[in-house]
Amino acid sequence: MGKFLACVVSVLLAVAVVVVSSSEQAAASSSVPVRRYDSIFSFGDSYADAGNGPVVFRRYSISNPVTRPPYGSTFFGRATGRNCDGRLAIDFVAESLGLPLVPPFLAQNGSFPGGANFAVAGATALDAGFFHHGEPPGASKFPLNDSLGVQLQWFESLKPSLCRTTQDCNVFFGRSLFFVGAFGVNDYLLYYLNGKSVQQVRSLVPDVVATIAMAVERLIKHGATSLVVPGVLPVGCAPPVILASADPAAGDPAGYDPRTVCVKAINELASHHNTLLQEAVHGVRAKHPGVKIVYADFFGPVMAMVESPAKFGFEGDVLTLCCGGPGRFNYNRTVFCGDPGAITCKNPSARLFWDGVHLTEAAYRHIAGGWLSSINSPVRL
């Protein structure tokens, strides 16, 4: 009987050891994050450009201030071609997903197994020819030939080096995250700042949104199964737009929000764009139920920072640029960030706007946090 009990106890102890060991292994394995994506491909404008802009600008013999200090000073310690003091939202997303920063396609020679960034500062959704049609000789070079359609062509030229067969591409791009935008700000500002009325600018919105939706469809045909489509930010709060509309200090009734000083008509235009874009995203989702398409809110987070700056660690004069020339909001049309005579704030992390319509690294960190929540959440149709 004693031997029998000893055997039973031994078996029970052995089972217990196995159970505990298995539990510990399971706990250990569950603590190791499983990487969902192997690469990121990004299309966009200056809110996502990681270094393509200077390359494109050089082709047109246009100087670009982002190649000099104090750009990049907060994180990189040098100018990287980003329109920022440090990292952009796309950079924070990549870091959070355990991926390296997405390299700029035009500024890096070699292969791109971890993805590529095709975004260019000043890029439009609509083709550049639309804006240049009927222009007189000597007109502005902007927009340059780097629209969403051109960026898609760059992606398609890269594709054969990434995968060969349809099956290989489906596997490769099925493990990739695609960012399509934000697009639209340059389309609208080019029209608006060239003397078009807000109503004329508003007429572009359906075409801009349709172009973005078609790009999403095109990427899905290439094998994309996870896409992020950001809306536009409240560009009516950007100091250059406020001052181009009129002088808010003069009490112009043209429509300044009395609480924020933002141009109401421009922000309403941005909201209209975002509403149509969300409807378009919903429509593409319905056609491709196996594809995850996330609408990323750009407007809401920036508006929250403008309305409650202290909540995000920003100073009270939230519209004042960190880097710019002498003038209202530290904005000067002839003295840009990095120019002789320009002013740079001591603490960029306490500012929302960096150099005009562009944001600081601190702002992008908050925005990326919201985007990551959407990326990591189930799609709600």
Side-chain angles (χ1 to χ4, degrees), residues 68-106:
R68 63 195 184 199
Y71 286 89
S73 57
T74 294
F75 179 76
F76 299 100
R78 60 181 177 83
T80 63
R82 290 168 172 80
N83 289 262
C84 185
D85 62 304
R87 289 163 291 183
L88 309 172
I90 184 70
D91 297 320
F92 286 111
V93 170
E95 289 180 344
S96 296
L97 295 177
L99 296 172
L101 301 187
V102 189
F105 175 65
L106 300 179

Coordinates of all heavy atoms in Angstrom, one line a residue, residues 68-106:
R68 N 18.1 71.7 -43.9 CA 19.0 72.4 -43.0 C 18.5 72.4 -41.6 O 17.3 72.2 -41.4 CB 19.2 73.8 -43.6 CG 17.9 74.6 -43.6 CD 18.0 75.9 -44.4 NE 16.8 76.6 -44.3 CZ 16.4 77.6 -45.2 NH1 17.2 77.8 -46.2 NH2 15.3 78.2 -45.0
P69 N 19.3 72.8 -40.6 CA 18.9 73.0 -39.3 C 17.8 74.1 -39.2 O 17.9 75.0 -40.0 CB 20.1 73.3 -38.5 CG 21.3 72.9 -39.3 CD 20.8 73.0 -40.7
P70 N 16.9 74.1 -38.2 CA 16.8 73.2 -37.1 C 15.9 72.0 -37.4 O 15.4 71.3 -36.5 CB 16.1 74.0 -36.1 CG 15.2 75.0 -36.8 CD 16.0 75.2 -38.1
Y71 N 15.6 71.7 -38.7 CA 14.8 70.5 -39.0 C 15.5 69.2 -38.5 O 16.7 69.1 -38.6 CB 14.5 70.4 -40.5 CG 13.6 71.4 -41.0 CD1 14.0 72.7 -41.4 CD2 12.2 71.2 -41.0 CE1 13.1 73.7 -41.8 CE2 11.3 72.1 -41.5 CZ 11.7 73.4 -41.9 OH 10.8 74.3 -42.3
G72 N 14.7 68.3 -37.9 CA 15.2 67.1 -37.4 C 15.9 67.1 -36.1 O 16.4 66.1 -35.6
S73 N 16.0 68.3 -35.5 CA 16.9 68.5 -34.3 C 16.4 67.8 -33.1 O 17.2 67.4 -32.2 CB 17.0 70.0 -34.0 OG 15.8 70.6 -33.8
T74 N 15.1 67.6 -32.9 CA 14.5 67.1 -31.7 C 14.9 65.6 -31.5 O 15.3 65.1 -30.4 CB 13.0 67.2 -31.7 OG1 12.7 68.6 -31.6 CG2 12.4 66.5 -30.5
F75 N 14.8 64.8 -32.6 CA 15.1 63.4 -32.5 C 16.3 62.9 -33.2 O 17.2 62.2 -32.7 CB 13.9 62.6 -33.0 CG 14.0 61.1 -32.9 CD1 13.9 60.4 -31.7 CD2 14.3 60.3 -34.1 CE1 14.1 59.0 -31.6 CE2 14.5 59.0 -34.0 CZ 14.4 58.3 -32.8
F76 N 16.5 63.3 -34.5 CA 17.5 62.8 -35.3 C 18.8 63.5 -35.1 O 19.9 63.0 -35.4 CB 17.1 62.9 -36.8 CG 15.9 62.1 -37.1 CD1 14.7 62.7 -37.2 CD2 16.0 60.7 -37.3 CE1 13.5 61.9 -37.6 CE2 14.8 59.9 -37.6 CZ 13.6 60.6 -37.7
G77 N 18.8 64.8 -34.6 CA 20.0 65.6 -34.5 C 20.5 66.1 -35.8 O 21.6 66.7 -35.8
R78 N 19.7 66.0 -36.8 CA 20.1 66.5 -38.2 C 18.9 66.5 -39.1 O 17.9 65.9 -38.8 CB 21.2 65.5 -38.8 CG 20.6 64.1 -39.0 CD 21.6 63.2 -39.6 NE 21.1 61.8 -39.7 CZ 20.3 61.4 -40.7 NH1 20.0 62.2 -41.7 NH2 19.9 60.1 -40.7
A79 N 19.0 67.3 -40.1 CA 17.9 67.3 -41.1 C 17.8 66.0 -41.9 O 18.8 65.5 -42.3 CB 18.1 68.5 -42.0
T80 N 16.6 65.5 -42.0 CA 16.4 64.2 -42.7 C 15.5 64.4 -43.9 O 15.3 63.4 -44.6 CB 15.7 63.2 -41.7 OG1 14.4 63.7 -41.4 CG2 16.6 63.0 -40.5
G81 N 15.0 65.6 -44.2 CA 14.0 65.8 -45.3 C 12.6 65.8 -44.8 O 11.7 65.9 -45.6
R82 N 12.4 65.6 -43.5 CA 11.0 65.7 -42.9 C 10.7 67.1 -42.6 O 11.6 67.9 -42.2 CB 10.9 64.8 -41.6 CG 11.0 63.3 -41.8 CD 11.2 62.6 -40.5 NE 11.1 61.2 -40.6 CZ 12.1 60.4 -41.0 NH1 13.2 60.9 -41.4 NH2 11.9 59.1 -41.1
N83 N 9.4 67.5 -42.8 CA 9.0 68.8 -42.5 C 8.6 68.9 -41.0 O 7.4 69.1 -40.7 CB 7.8 69.2 -43.4 CG 8.1 69.4 -44.8 OD1 8.3 70.5 -45.3 ND2 8.3 68.3 -45.6
C84 N 9.6 68.7 -40.2 CA 9.3 68.5 -38.8 C 10.6 68.6 -38.0 O 11.7 68.5 -38.5 CB 8.7 67.1 -38.5 SG 8.1 66.8 -36.8
D85 N 10.4 68.8 -36.7 CA 11.6 68.9 -35.8 C 12.1 67.4 -35.5 O 13.2 67.3 -34.9 CB 11.3 69.6 -34.5 CG 10.2 69.0 -33.7 OD1 9.1 68.8 -34.3 OD2 10.4 68.7 -32.5
G86 N 11.3 66.5 -35.8 CA 11.6 65.1 -35.4 C 10.8 64.1 -36.2 O 10.7 64.2 -37.5
R87 N 10.2 63.2 -35.5 CA 9.4 62.1 -36.2 C 8.0 62.5 -36.6 O 7.4 63.4 -36.0 CB 9.4 60.9 -35.3 CG 10.7 60.2 -35.1 CD 10.7 59.2 -33.9 NE 10.7 60.0 -32.6 CZ 10.7 59.5 -31.4 NH1 10.8 58.2 -31.3 NH2 10.7 60.3 -30.3
L88 N 7.5 61.8 -37.6 CA 6.2 62.0 -38.1 C 5.3 60.9 -37.6 O 5.8 59.9 -37.0 CB 6.1 62.0 -39.6 CG 7.1 62.9 -40.3 CD1 7.1 62.6 -41.9 CD2 6.8 64.4 -40.1
A89 N 4.0 61.0 -37.8 CA 3.0 60.0 -37.4 C 3.4 58.6 -37.9 O 3.4 57.6 -37.2 CB 1.6 60.3 -37.7
I90 N 3.8 58.5 -39.2 CA 4.2 57.3 -39.8 C 5.4 56.6 -39.1 O 5.5 55.4 -39.0 CB 4.4 57.5 -41.3 CG1 4.7 56.1 -42.0 CG2 5.6 58.4 -41.6 CD1 3.5 55.2 -42.1
D91 N 6.3 57.5 -38.6 CA 7.5 57.0 -37.9 C 7.0 56.3 -36.5 O 7.5 55.3 -36.2 CB 8.4 58.1 -37.6 CG 9.0 58.7 -38.9 OD1 9.3 58.0 -39.8 OD2 9.1 60.0 -38.9
F92 N 6.1 57.0 -35.8 CA 5.7 56.4 -34.5 C 4.9 55.1 -34.8 O 5.0 54.2 -34.0 CB 4.8 57.5 -33.8 CG 5.6 58.6 -33.2 CD1 5.5 59.9 -33.7 CD2 6.4 58.4 -32.1 CE1 6.2 60.9 -33.1 CE2 7.2 59.4 -31.5 CZ 7.0 60.7 -32.0
V93 N 4.1 55.1 -35.8 CA 3.4 53.8 -36.1 C 4.4 52.7 -36.4 O 4.2 51.6 -35.9 CB 2.5 54.0 -37.3 CG1 1.9 52.7 -37.8 CG2 1.3 55.0 -37.0
A94 N 5.4 53.0 -37.2 CA 6.4 51.9 -37.5 C 7.1 51.5 -36.3 O 7.2 50.2 -36.1 CB 7.4 52.5 -38.5
E95 N 7.5 52.4 -35.4 CA 8.2 52.0 -34.2 C 7.3 51.1 -33.3 O 7.7 50.1 -32.7 CB 8.6 53.2 -33.4 CG 9.8 54.0 -34.1 CD 10.2 55.2 -33.3 OE1 9.4 55.7 -32.4 OE2 11.3 55.7 -33.6
S96 N 6.0 51.5 -33.2 CA 5.1 50.8 -32.3 C 4.8 49.4 -32.9 O 4.5 48.5 -32.1 CB 3.8 51.6 -32.2 OG 4.0 52.8 -31.5
L97 N 4.9 49.2 -34.2 CA 4.7 47.9 -34.8 C 5.9 47.1 -34.8 O 5.9 46.0 -35.4 CB 4.1 48.1 -36.2 CG 2.7 48.7 -36.2 CD1 2.3 48.9 -37.7 CD2 1.7 47.9 -35.5
G98 N 7.0 47.6 -34.3 CA 8.3 46.8 -34.2 C 9.0 46.8 -35.5 O 9.8 45.9 -35.8
L99 N 8.8 47.8 -36.4 CA 9.4 47.9 -37.7 C 10.4 49.1 -37.8 O 10.2 50.1 -37.0 CB 8.3 48.1 -38.8 CG 7.4 46.9 -38.9 CD1 6.2 47.3 -39.9 CD2 8.1 45.7 -39.4
P100 N 11.3 49.1 -38.6 CA 12.2 50.2 -38.8 C 11.5 51.4 -39.5 O 10.4 51.2 -40.1 CB 13.3 49.7 -39.7 CG 12.7 48.5 -40.4 CD 11.7 47.9 -39.5
L101 N 12.0 52.6 -39.3 CA 11.4 53.7 -40.0 C 11.4 53.5 -41.5 O 12.3 52.9 -42.1 CB 12.2 55.0 -39.7 CG 12.3 55.4 -38.2 CD1 13.0 56.7 -38.1 CD2 11.0 55.3 -37.5
V102 N 10.3 53.8 -42.1 CA 10.1 53.5 -43.6 C 11.0 54.4 -44.4 O 10.9 55.6 -44.4 CB 8.6 53.7 -44.0 CG1 8.4 53.1 -45.4 CG2 7.7 53.0 -42.9
P103 N 11.9 53.8 -45.2 CA 12.8 54.6 -46.0 C 12.2 55.3 -47.2 O 11.3 54.8 -47.8 CB 13.9 53.6 -46.5 CG 13.1 52.3 -46.5 CD 12.1 52.4 -45.4
P104 N 12.6 56.6 -47.5 CA 12.1 57.3 -48.6 C 12.6 56.7 -49.9 O 13.8 56.4 -50.1 CB 12.7 58.7 -48.4 CG 13.9 58.5 -47.6 CD 13.6 57.3 -46.7
F105 N 11.7 56.4 -50.8 CA 11.9 55.7 -52.0 C 13.0 56.4 -52.9 O 13.9 55.7 -53.5 CB 10.6 55.5 -52.8 CG 10.8 54.8 -54.2 CD1 11.2 53.5 -54.3 CD2 10.5 55.5 -55.3 CE1 11.4 52.9 -55.5 CE2 10.7 54.9 -56.6 CZ 11.1 53.6 -56.7
L106 N 12.9 57.7 -53.1 CA 13.7 58.4 -54.0 C 15.1 58.7 -53.4 O 16.0 59.1 -54.1 CB 13.1 59.7 -54.4 CG 11.7 59.5 -55.2 CD1 11.2 60.9 -55.5 CD2 11.9 58.7 -56.4

